[in-house]
Amino acid sequence: MIMFKLKEHNTTVGTELSAGFTTFLTMMYIVPVNGFILSDAGLPMDAVVTATALITILATLFSGLWSNTPIAMSVGMGLNAYFSFGLVLGMNIPWQTALGIVFLSGILFVILSFTNFRVWVMTSIPMNLRRAISAGIGSFIAFIGLKQMGMIVDNKATLVSIGDFSKPEVLLGVLGLILAFSFYAYRIRGSFILAIAITSIVGWISGIGTLPEGILSAPASIAPIAFELDIPSALTLSLLPVVITFLITDMFDTLGTLTGVGTRANLFQENNKDDKSLQRTLEADAIATTAGSLLGVSTTTSFIESASGVEEGGRTGLTAVFTALFFIATLFMLPLFKAIPSNAIYPVLVVVGVLMFTELGKINFEDSDLATSAGAFLMVIFMPLTYSITNGIAAGFLIYTIIKIAKKETADLNIGILVITFISALAFVL
């Protein structure tokens, strides 16, 4: 335990164990949820569940040992939905090519994480636009969750309309949504997985879905998806904006998570030149994304749920190690995960979307200039309406740059914004 420097961080093995279990409970939902989301893209759910559990174990373990921080990692919410509904179903990109895109973004992140690129990004892109990206992704995945539950349906005249709330499946989704919001509001440990469990039981009792044939089984093989990524097909100019989207979204998500968790745990102190924990956590995140694409899952990122472990007293990488060990149990829970009704899963997307959308409230639109307001608005509105995070980011940066040029406020346009604007233009031209 010497390597974790428990005494220096004023913690104990018992505290780290409790913190690791708390983090595990709060983010355990990602294994079945990611299985459902990526299976919608055509990947076999059995293999995805195993791969999700594996990358969570490996990435979190590596993060704990390499960076000595209580940061757990797994397949990121938001980009997994974009992977399935935006790329594979929306753009008709084969899931193998989509995995190639994730791999390329991961490689870029690995290269850049060993440089001062993160500082350049932080200083180049206005905070308000970064917050708008998070809010836009929130609106996107919430929209997907509502649609998958049948609360929103297609309509030829108005594009979308309210669903049929007399259907038992829709009512089950409503129950799941109420439970997820309520448990989270009361800060109950494992609020999402608890909401999924109760909603599933109600579904099984009412005949929605089938009872699990068992609870435990041997892990399913990941052979159908492992190393099936198609990198050559992803190396096309038309997909460059998508690769960049995965890169910057993963980076913003990670930096935002680490900032929030780090503040509470007194980690990642910028004024401490000897503190390499932030750099190493970014490196672990980037390597995990690359490894995840090889195993057959979308972008891996640092989880904000790590904050729950920090609140429990976790301060070192031992918390992450314990979290990884607890996730081993999910490798053997496939029969239970497969039996979960889909409308017990998708309410989680809506709640996570709402939590991400709250970033919009941190933008002071009264004080913001027109360029920022218009850019933020288009990011938030374009993502759900076009089923594309790429289109949202592209539209936001384009209108921001155009207005700045029109108002002759070119001093606000640094090289970072101009590069992203150019790549954004490619998203609409190619």
Side-chain angles (χ1 to χ4, degrees), residues 29-334:
Y29 72 89
I30 189 59
V31 179
V33 170
N34 193 57
F36 272 85
I37 292 175
L38 294 193
S39 65
D40 285 330
L43 286 77
M45 181 174 178
D46 294 22
V48 172
V49 167
T50 300
T52 304
L54 277 176
I55 195 58
T56 304
I57 294 166
L58 296 175
T60 302
L61 184 62
F62 179 61
S63 173
L65 295 175
W66 178 246
S67 64
N68 193 28
T69 58
I71 304 298
M73 298 183 180
S74 188
V75 182
M77 293 289 288
L79 284 179
N80 57 355
Y82 182 41
F83 179 99
S84 290
F85 299 98
L87 300 188
V88 179
L89 298 179
M91 298 175 62
N92 294 318
I93 295 176
W95 60 262
Q96 294 88 344
T97 302
L99 286 176
I101 292 171
V102 174
F103 176 82
L104 292 176
S105 70
I107 290 295
L108 288 175
F109 198 178
V110 169
I111 296 172
L112 297 173
S113 65
F114 287 91
T115 69
N116 289 325
F117 181 77
R118 68 176 179 84
V119 178
W120 180 72
V121 170
M122 293 289 283
T123 57
S124 295
I125 300 175
M127 175 60 77
N128 284 337
L129 291 185
R130 280 185 274 150
R131 287 169 172 161
I133 290 174
S134 178
I137 295 174
S139 66
F140 174 60
I141 65 174
F143 183 77
I144 289 174
L146 293 171
K147 183 177 182 297
Q148 293 299 111
M149 285 188 289
M151 293 185 184
I152 294 176
V153 296
D154 297 337
N155 186 297
K156 291 183 179 180
T158 61
L159 297 183
V160 293
S161 60
I162 196 73
D164 184 356
F165 280 76
S166 66
K167 292 183 177 180
E169 296 83 0
V170 177
L171 291 176
L172 184 68
V174 173
L175 173 64
L177 200 56
I178 293 173
L179 291 176
F181 272 122
S182 300
F183 293 156
Y184 187 87
Y186 278 98
R187 299 184 180 276
I188 297 175
R189 286 186 187 179
S191 54
F192 289 162
I193 199 67
L194 181 60
I196 291 173
I198 294 176
T199 307
S200 296
I201 292 173
V202 172
W204 293 330
I205 293 174
S206 60
I208 302 173
T210 57
L211 287 169
E213 297 178 358
I215 297 178
L216 303 177
S217 71
S221 171
I222 62 172
I225 59 175
F227 301 100
E228 291 295 319
L229 65 170
D230 186 352
I231 299 175
S233 296
L235 286 169
T236 61
L237 186 60
S238 62
L239 292 179
L240 175 61
V242 180
V243 174
I244 299 302
T245 294
F246 273 83
L247 171 64
I248 64 176
T249 303
D250 185 17
M251 186 169 294
F252 290 163
D253 189 20
T254 301
L255 288 170
T257 295
L258 299 186
T259 299
V261 177
T263 299
R264 180 65 184 88
N266 198 29
L267 299 170
F268 315 130
Q269 302 302 304
E270 293 290 345
N271 58 349
N272 184 356
K273 295 181 179 179
D274 296 324
D275 186 1
K276 299 182 183 295
S277 55
L278 175 60
Q279 183 71 20
R280 289 196 166 197
T281 306
L282 286 171
E283 293 165 2
D285 190 299
I287 293 170
T289 288
T290 307
S293 66
L294 296 175
L295 293 181
V297 294
S298 55
T299 302
T300 302
T301 190
S302 303
F303 259 55
I304 191 62
E305 282 80 358
S306 303
S308 64
V310 168
E311 292 293 335
E312 195 68 18
R315 291 295 182 271
T316 74
L318 187 56
T319 293
V321 170
F322 280 130
T323 300
L325 294 177
F326 283 122
F327 262 99
I328 293 175
T330 62
L331 286 169
F332 305 94
M333 300 172 67
L334 180 61

Side-chain angles (χ1 to χ4, degrees), residues 312-395:
E312 195 68 18
R315 291 295 182 271
T316 74
L318 187 56
T319 293
V321 170
F322 280 130
T323 300
L325 294 177
F326 283 122
F327 262 99
I328 293 175
T330 62
L331 286 169
F332 305 94
M333 300 172 67
L334 180 61
L336 185 61
F337 290 153
K338 288 183 65 177
I340 297 174
S342 61
N343 273 19
I345 288 288
Y346 287 111
V348 173
L349 265 72
V350 179
V351 179
V352 172
V354 170
L355 297 176
M356 295 180 71
F357 191 79
T358 57
E359 284 294 309
L360 198 64
K362 298 176 182 178
I363 301 176
N364 188 341
F365 285 98
E366 292 184 0
D367 293 339
S368 296
D369 58 9
L370 179 61
T372 300
S373 298
F377 172 79
L378 288 185
M379 283 181 181
V380 172
I381 203 72
F382 258 60
M383 288 188 196
L385 293 186
T386 65
Y387 252 54
S388 173
I389 295 174
T390 301
N391 289 343
I393 292 176

